[in-house]
Amino acid sequence: MTHFDLLLIGTGSGNMFLDDRFSGLNVAIAEEWHFGGTCLNVGCIPTKMFVYPATIAEQAAHAKHYNLSTDFHGVDWPALQKRIFDRVDAIEAGGRDYRSGDRQPNVTVVAEHVHFTGAKTVRTASGEKITADRIVIAAGASPFIPEAEGLDPQLVDTDGYPVFTSNSIMRVSQQPERLVIIGSGIIAMEFAHVFAGLGTEVTVIARGPRLLGNIDEEVSEEFTELFERTHTVHRGAEVSSYSFDDNQVTVTLTPGGRLGDVDLPSQIDTDAVLIATGRTPNTTGLNVIEAGFDVLDDARLSVDSRQRVLAHGQPVPGVFALGDISSPHQLKHVANHEADVVGDNLAIDVATGEPGSAAEADLREVDHHGVPGAVFTSPQVAYVGITEAEARRAGHDVSVKVQKYSDVAYGWAMADDPGIVKLIADKATRKILGAHIVGHEASMIVQPLIQAMAFGQPADEMATRQYWIHPALPEVVENALLGLEFEET
């Protein structure tokens, strides 16, 4: 048995807070996979490095809309992969070397899977027992794979098996000519854009009535209509079975039961399948039930506002969690914020002596107000705050304004490309409750709205008490703000 002052499980955002404040501790880091976690290796960073060239390729292929004569003739897939993963893999290796080498003699890297056998005890895959005074759980989430006849979940993401998740699809040796994507959320929509933009024949299988169904309904409907103009989508469908031969995969479709009667092809032949139906927190693999920790219905580890892990509703002294394994938001920027909170609270906890002895008032609370997100697909989608339906359910007297991109001069420059900005505000307080955008550079023009919500700036002041560059695209945000109606004061 080996004992440590601190055990950190996972090296995504959990690897960020381990700085000089903890140099006096004997620390173990358990990481069975890649250093840097999902975002660096199979998520945010490499996907956007694929998205950008896919967007350029799409623009070249559709330039006639702008009275231009350009074409897209294909992608050098191996060269694109090399450019992306030479950088990503070097960062991963550097992070591992930093934690494993002589520069941090107080840190021991345990390069294997661990699972809990008690609240402060884990066992490694090779059988070693490890105990720790304090533990930070940052083990992330894994792709969810729905059951279907003919599919072997154990073979997904393995060499030679043409069914992939986001963990492996970017590393395929050859770009598939045909790809079926199962799912309609963020991961599915981004990869649909990547592969379709780069020339693959993409078919999306969506169980629900809309794409990106978790965002504001009006915005989701707008995105669905725009996406279906240029992509093959079968909504209200799910895959009931798979069959394989040497050259292709055949998926059999059945109605998903969420869209009534739907006209579906009975089968689709494809070269590869990407399963993008969401990600599940890695609580089961860690056997957190054995530790006595509380687990929510969606498999997340239960934490309080200070990121302390709960058991029977009470904080476990010295045990914290962050990121996808516990957060209601599977977003890197949220995990980074939670890591900041955990780092500060852990340092305070260590300074007080006994695990869990820090005063409540001294500990930071996490802030999940106004969490923004973006979908890097075509067109882009961005959002912050709550939806119109959520605002009404919460009892707000809401003011809603939908502004078209084509209403502003930059929209004319874009040949009236489609896009909308939808704002939801409270009529009495004049505060922005939510913002939802579909269109060109949505991920950028949402940022001033994020700032206004973070600092409580009233919508009318935001619209009128600053310059808006003319004729830049953010004028669509300005006009949406000006279109909101408020109670007279």
Side-chain angles (χ1 to χ4, degrees):
M1 181 179 74
T2 307
H3 182 77
F4 293 92
D5 299 319
L6 172 64
L7 169 63
L8 168 61
I9 304 175
T11 58
S13 293
N15 194 34
M16 295 178 58
F17 69 82
L18 196 61
D19 53 27
D20 291 343
R21 293 173 295 179
F22 308 102
S23 59
L25 301 183
N26 186 20
V27 178
I29 299 177
E31 178 55 79
E32 63 174 311
W33 195 52
H34 306 300
F35 263 62
T38 297
C39 176
L40 173 65
N41 294 283
V42 299
C44 329
I45 292 174
T47 55
K48 303 318 164 287
M49 294 176 77
F50 278 96
V51 161
Y52 190 76
T55 300
I56 294 174
E58 182 184 72
Q59 290 170 343
H62 298 96
K64 285 184 179 180
H65 182 59
Y66 311 102
N67 313 110
L68 300 173
S69 296
T70 65
D71 294 294
F72 170 63
H73 299 291
V75 57
D76 186 341
W77 182 256
L80 179 61
Q81 285 182 310
K82 186 176 188 307
R83 177 170 64 81
I84 292 169
F85 289 111
D86 276 0
R87 175 170 291 191
V88 167
D89 293 346
I91 297 170
E92 190 278 341
R96 183 180 296 274
D97 179 68
Y98 176 68
R99 293 302 191 197
S100 304
D102 296 336
R103 287 175 290 177
Q104 290 205 308
N106 66 311
V107 175
T108 300
V109 174
V110 181
E112 56 182 318
H113 180 73
V114 301
H115 66 271
F116 282 92
T117 58
K120 298 285 185 74
T121 307
V122 301
R123 188 172 298 279
T124 70
S126 60
E128 180 185 2
K129 183 180 179 181
I130 295 174
T131 60
D133 295 326
R134 293 173 173 87
I135 298 177
V136 176
I137 307 169
S142 298
F144 172 71
I145 301 175
E147 294 182 1
E149 182 182 347
L151 179 68
D152 187 340
Q154 300 302 315
L155 293 179
V156 173
D157 288 335
T158 63
D159 289 343
Y161 198 71
V163 182
F164 305 88
T165 71
S166 56
N167 282 356
S168 63
I169 190 66
M170 289 178 284
R171 301 264 188 172
V172 292
S173 58
Q174 289 185 320
Q175 178 189 0
E177 293 184 10
R178 301 169 298 173
L179 177 66
V180 166
I181 298 179
I182 302 170
S184 59
I186 293 173
I187 296 172
M189 293 300 96
E190 291 192 345
F191 278 114
H193 171 49
V194 165
F195 283 96
L198 296 177
T200 296
E201 180 186 319
V202 171
T203 302
V204 174
I205 309 301
R207 189 173 60 161
R210 303 185 309 276
L211 305 175
L212 297 177
N214 289 332
I215 64 174
D216 182 88
E217 183 173 342
E218 185 174 3
V219 175
S220 172
E221 289 175 349
E222 175 80 4
F223 173 79
T224 301
E225 193 274 323
L226 296 176
F227 190 85
E228 289 186 336
R229 290 183 189 180
T230 54
H231 298 81
T232 300
V233 179
H234 297 295
R235 288 181 284 140
E238 59 186 25
V239 175
S240 60
S241 67
Y242 298 76
S243 61
F244 304 86
D245 63 27
D246 292 338
N247 300 313
Q248 69 180 21
V249 186
T250 300
V251 295
T252 301
L253 302 184
T254 187
R258 296 175 58 185
L259 197 57
D261 293 331
V262 287
D263 184 17
L264 301 173
S266 59
Q267 294 182 330
I268 300 174
D269 297 329
T270 185
D271 301 312
V273 174
L274 169 63
I275 296 177
T277 50
R279 297 175 66 84
T280 302
N282 288 324
T283 46
T284 300
L286 285 181
N287 198 23
V288 298
I289 297 296
E290 186 70 21
F293 302 151
D294 295 342
V295 178
L296 303 175
D297 291 342
D298 60 2
R300 283 185 294 125
L301 199 57
S302 183
V303 296
D304 67 4
S305 63
R306 294 166 174 83
Q307 296 299 131
R308 296 175 295 190
V309 172
L310 302 178
H312 305 293
Q314 298 300 313
V316 181
V319 181
F320 299 82
L322 64 97
D324 290 356
I325 199 162
S326 59
S327 181
H329 307 279
Q330 290 188 351
L331 296 165
K332 175 64 171 173
H333 43 276
V334 175
N336 288 350
H337 166 65
E338 293 172 355
D340 285 342
V341 172
V342 168
D344 288 350
N345 289 345
L346 183 64
I348 293 168
D349 193 65
V350 169
T352 59
E354 278 296 308
S357 59
E360 293 284 305
D362 293 338
L363 299 176
R364 279 181 65 186
E365 291 192 89
V366 73
D367 181 4
H368 286 156
H369 167 70
V371 172
V375 191
F376 295 85
T377 184
S378 181
Q380 280 192 12
V381 177
Y383 51 88
V384 59
I386 59 179
T387 68
E388 179 182 350
E390 289 169 337
R392 294 188 186 281
R393 284 198 298 269
H396 293 280
D397 184 10
V398 299
S399 178
V400 177
K401 176 61 178 178
V402 177
Q403 193 77 44
K404 294 180 179 180
Y405 275 40
S406 57
D407 291 334
V408 300
Y410 200 91
W412 309 345
M414 295 162 54
D416 294 327
D417 275 356
I420 60 171
V421 172
K422 179 177 181 178
L423 301 184
I424 301 107
D426 186 285
K427 286 185 177 180
T429 66
R430 310 189 328 276
K431 298 291 180 64
I432 301 168
L433 302 173
H436 310 270
I437 305 175
V438 178
H440 181 66
E441 298 294 5
S443 61
M444 290 191 181
I445 68 172
V446 75
Q447 191 62 46
L449 295 160
I450 297 169
Q451 182 171 331
M453 289 184 64
F455 293 99
Q457 185 178 23
D460 52 347
E461 289 185 9
M462 181 188 178
T464 60
R465 295 183 63 181
Q466 63 178 318
Y467 282 109
W468 295 85
I469 295 173
H470 177 75
L473 185 56
E475 282 188 319
V476 69
V477 173
E478 177 194 19
N479 286 2
L481 289 164
L482 291 170
L484 292 167
E485 298 178 353
F486 300 112
E487 295 177 1
E488 294 187 8
T489 56

